[in-house]
Each structure stands twice: as structure tokens, then as C-alpha cells.
Amino acid sequence: MEIRYSQSRRLHASQEGERPDIVDLFSQLYLASNGDLSQALEWLRWVAEQYGLTSENRTFEDILDELEGKGLISRDKGEFHLTPMGDRTVRDSVYDRVFQGLGKSLRGGHGVAQPGRGGERLPESRAYRYGDDPEEVDFGGTYRNYLHRRLGSPGNPQEEMSEGDLRGEGIQEEDFLLYEREGQYNCSTVLMIDISHSMILYGEDRITPAKIVAMSLVEYIRRHFPRDTIDVVTFGDEATEIPAREIPHISVGPYHTNTCDGLRVAQALLRRRRNPNKQIFMVTDGKPSAIFHKGSLYRNSFGLDPLVLSQTFAEARNCRKSKIRVCTFMIARDAYLIEFVEKFTRLCEGKAFYTGLDNLGDFIFVDYAANRRRRVR
């Protein structure tokens, strides 16, 4: 297996006298090994030797001691185990790596077009309504209303009034103004990840970047939008819901692409959610090539099979009827794939993005943020 970390400039930092981040390197290798700690440490040994991370003064055993000292791994009778702190560190490392290139715009809340409660305070204010929160009072605007009512507008002054006259009548309900706040809608998302064989075909590892983005999206939602929900579904010959904590262990198999079953499982999960915005993010690199038909798995890897397409398109229409927004992130640009994605997107009235592995996270996070500003009706 090709270790993609070799493409990172961090490995070459050692040539300039700067030691690469062993924790970050370990985290990437752990993901690439599908959560196999023994394999990850073996790859770490290989990388350390190839890129001069070890020497007479710093052996690979010293690197293991460093990881153990930081609480990432533990030894028991000569065998290593990933600790809970190690699991947390892997997730944090992946999250930080993805968000380094996304800027600060995604780190806060995301409002809707109309004002509401719970978001950032807006400069605009409005008249008081019974039941409004007094903490939102615009004191400056309220006092200006009071003065205008008592003294008249600057262009149309009333008779001159003394300070005593001003004290005679206090601020009235009609004077009160309250600040607006950005409204926010909660969102339920299902992330579908393709685990068919094509995700590692021709020596290109497409599944590890997909897992990195998936882990980061889960962490992003947990940190910034705790009332949102995120479910994860893998789909190959069949679709399976998995706990978010199992994302590092996702692996590609000798599977076809049962997009239809993935959409069915995703819709079933979203039907249990009560958030107003519901969406499916589908990360894939190929056409649908399998369905369940007459009680068994029907597969056809050649071309665009009409039977497979008809059932997949039927699920696209079901998503549209249920007002579930579908975003397809296609990690390929073959002409026949574009033809399928464009028709699928029209049927579900969703969106499609043709993206490479390097900017998959940019597309997903920006689109997630944008969709929280709207309410599906």
C-alpha cells in the first residue's frame, strides 16, 4: 500500500532540522490501516527508517515510548493497544488537519435569511412584542423613540419642553425596540460512504481521505451544532449503518455499488429525526452497479444497467417527495458517470459536486454550512 504521508512536506521537515509531528503521522497511518494498530505501527517504523526519523540517538523504540508517554498507546504483555486518549487524539489530529485549510468562516454558527432567536445579534432592531426577551432591548434606540415621541422629530419639533416635562412621563411600551438575532435551523445529516472495490482501484486510496472528512464532519457538528444529528452509512453490496466511532475501521471490500440500498437506509434514519432540515451527503466514485431484486442481490458492473438505474432513480424521487436534500460528491469525472449524476440530481432536486481527494472537505463543509441557513418546506 502506498503511504500518502510521503507526499506531505512535514516528512521533509526533518531535512531542514525540524522534526515532523509524530502524533500527526501516527494518526494518518492509523486511519490508513483501518484501525489496525499493529499495521499502523509497522508502517510507522518503515516511514521512520525511510525518512531519517530514527538515528543512533533516537531509535524506533524511543518513538514508541513517546507515543506511550503521551498516553496514545499502552503495552500489555508485549502487545500495544490504542488508549481512549489515543482515540481522541486521532480524531483531534484529523479535525485540525482538515480545518487548517477551511478558514474561520465555518467555526461559528450559520444563520437563516429571516431573523429569529438563538443566533448572533444583528444591528437591526424592531418594535417590542409581548413576550419578548428583555435582554434584547436596544436601549439607545428605545430612548431615541422616547425623545422623538415627546419632542417630535428633528424636522418637526413640538413645543419646547422643560426637563421637568420630560420627567413627567416615562418610557412607554410603544417606545421599546429590541435587537434582532439570526435565526438558526437544526439539521439532520446522513453521510453515505462508498466502500466498493473501486475506492482503492488502480492503486489510488480514496477511502482514507473520505474517512478523514467523515470524522471531521462528525467532530465539527458535535463541537458547534450539538442539536444537529449525524448518522453514517456505508454502502457496497448492501448498506449498513455504523456508529460514528467506527469510522476509522471502515474498509473497502470486493463489493459492487448498491447506491439504491444506501439511499433507502439513509431515508429510514432521517424519518426518525425531527429537525426541519434533512439531507444526505453521498461520497462515491462510481456508478450504481447493484440492487436487491426479487429477494436477491442483482449485480452488473458493465455500463449503466437500466434495472439498477430505475430503482436508484426511484429512490431519488422518494428523497425529493420527503423533502430530503441529496448532495452527491463524485470523486471522478468519467463522462458516463457525469451523465448518471446529472439525471440523478435532477430527479432528487439536489446538488452534485465533482471533486478530487484534496478538496473533498472544502466542498462538504461549505455546503453543510450553507444548508443550515435554509428551511426545507
Side-chain angles (χ1 to χ4, degrees):
M1 172 181 176
E2 176 187 1
I3 299 178
R4 296 177 62 87
Y5 196 93
S6 63
Q7 300 171 6
S8 173
R9 61 188 177 187
R10 289 180 179 165
L11 267 181
H12 300 286
S14 59
Q15 299 174 3
E16 302 172 1
E18 180 184 347
R19 180 178 296 178
D21 188 340
I22 292 297
V23 172
D24 182 52
L25 174 54
F26 168 77
S27 299
Q28 289 192 66
L29 296 177
Y30 182 75
L31 277 182
S33 70
N34 302 324
D36 184 336
L37 182 59
S38 297
Q39 181 67 77
L41 293 178
E42 185 60 35
W43 284 342
L44 181 60
R45 180 192 297 274
W46 183 88
V47 171
E49 293 173 352
Q50 290 291 317
Y51 288 90
L53 305 184
T54 57
S55 64
E56 293 182 0
N57 298 325
R58 188 175 187 241
T59 66
F60 182 67
E61 189 64 28
D62 293 328
I63 293 177
L64 294 178
D65 288 341
E66 180 180 340
L67 294 175
E68 189 173 10
K70 291 181 177 180
L72 276 66
I73 59 176
S74 62
R75 296 188 221 212
D76 182 20
K77 298 179 180 179
E79 292 187 5
F80 288 98
H81 303 277
L82 188 74
T83 65
M85 181 181 291
D87 180 73
R88 177 78 264 168
T89 301
V90 169
R91 296 176 189 278
D92 288 343
S93 176
V94 168
Y95 178 83
D96 292 341
R97 170 174 286 272
V98 168
F99 273 81
Q100 280 176 355
L102 292 180
K104 298 180 180 180
S105 61
L106 295 178
R107 296 183 182 271
H110 305 285
V112 293
Q114 65 268 36
R117 297 183 64 180
E120 294 294 325
R121 176 176 284 183
L122 300 174
E124 296 84 3
S125 55
R126 59 169 175 80
Y128 169 81
R129 293 191 292 264
Y130 178 77
D132 280 336
D133 188 345
E135 292 184 1
E136 302 302 333
V137 171
D138 174 2
F139 289 101
T142 298
Y143 189 63
R144 284 193 298 272
N145 274 357
Y146 165 67
L147 292 178
H148 288 167
R149 179 173 58 81
R150 297 300 309 276
L151 302 178
S153 64
N156 185 29
Q158 295 179 2
E159 296 180 5
E160 185 176 347
M161 302 182 68
S162 68
E163 184 178 347
D165 292 328
L166 283 176
R167 288 199 299 265
E169 181 183 342
I171 294 176
Q172 303 297 307
E173 180 177 324
E174 63 192 87
D175 300 324
F176 278 96
L177 291 177
L178 279 83
Y179 285 112
E180 294 278 27
R181 283 188 177 271
E182 286 184 333
Q184 291 186 337
Y185 291 128
N186 296 330
C187 186
S188 290
T189 304
V190 173
L191 180 61
M192 289 173 50
I193 302 176
D194 187 348
I195 58 169
S196 64
H197 181 62
S198 61
M199 291 290 280
I200 55 169
L201 204 57
Y202 308 120
E204 184 173 21
D205 176 15
R206 296 172 174 176
I207 191 64
T208 300
K211 290 193 293 185
I212 288 173
V213 171
M215 290 176 64
S216 300
L217 180 60
V218 170
E219 190 65 22
Y220 173 66
I221 292 173
R222 285 177 175 172
R223 291 187 185 189
H224 300 287
F225 305 108
R227 292 186 179 181
D228 286 8
T229 65
I230 175 74
D231 296 289
V232 182
V233 171
T234 60
F235 64 105
D237 285 347
E238 61 181 346
T240 305
E241 177 194 4
I242 66 166
R245 65 178 180 276
E246 294 298 322
I247 293 174
H249 303 282
I250 292 175
S251 61
V252 170
Y255 307 130
H256 290 70
T257 308
N258 195 338
T259 307
C260 180
D261 198 43
L263 292 169
R264 285 175 183 163
V265 172
Q267 290 175 83
L269 289 169
L270 289 173
R271 279 193 289 270
R272 305 204 301 255
R273 304 300 187 183
R274 296 186 178 182
N275 287 337
N277 283 1
K278 298 180 179 182
Q279 62 186 1
I280 297 171
F281 285 176
M282 179 169 64
V283 180
T284 182
D285 73 335
K287 65 184 186 304
S289 58
I291 55 170
F292 286 108
H293 183 63
K294 295 182 179 180
S296 61
L297 182 65
Y298 173 82
R299 295 167 289 189
N300 184 359
S301 299
F302 301 98
L304 294 170
D305 186 287
L307 179 60
V308 174
L309 288 183
S310 65
Q311 291 200 18
T312 305
F313 290 151
E315 293 304 324
R317 286 188 286 267
N318 287 339
C319 288
R320 184 190 65 214
K321 292 176 183 176
S322 300
K323 299 181 180 178
I324 296 172
R325 181 172 174 269
V326 182
C327 292
T328 305
F329 300 89
M330 180 63 71
I331 315 173
R333 295 190 63 87
D334 304 83
Y336 70 98
L337 290 180
I338 293 176
E339 177 186 349
F340 157 71
V341 171
E342 288 181 348
K343 183 172 182 179
F344 176 85
T345 302
R346 287 196 303 270
L347 290 173
C348 66
E349 296 182 354
K351 284 187 176 182
F353 301 89
Y354 302 94
T355 174
L357 298 174
D358 294 335
N359 58 4
L360 175 62
D362 301 53
F363 280 98
I364 286 184
F365 283 98
V366 170
D367 193 70
Y368 176 83
N371 194 42
R372 295 197 80 260
R373 299 188 181 100
R374 61 192 289 272
R375 179 167 185 160
V376 179
R377 298 185 181 277

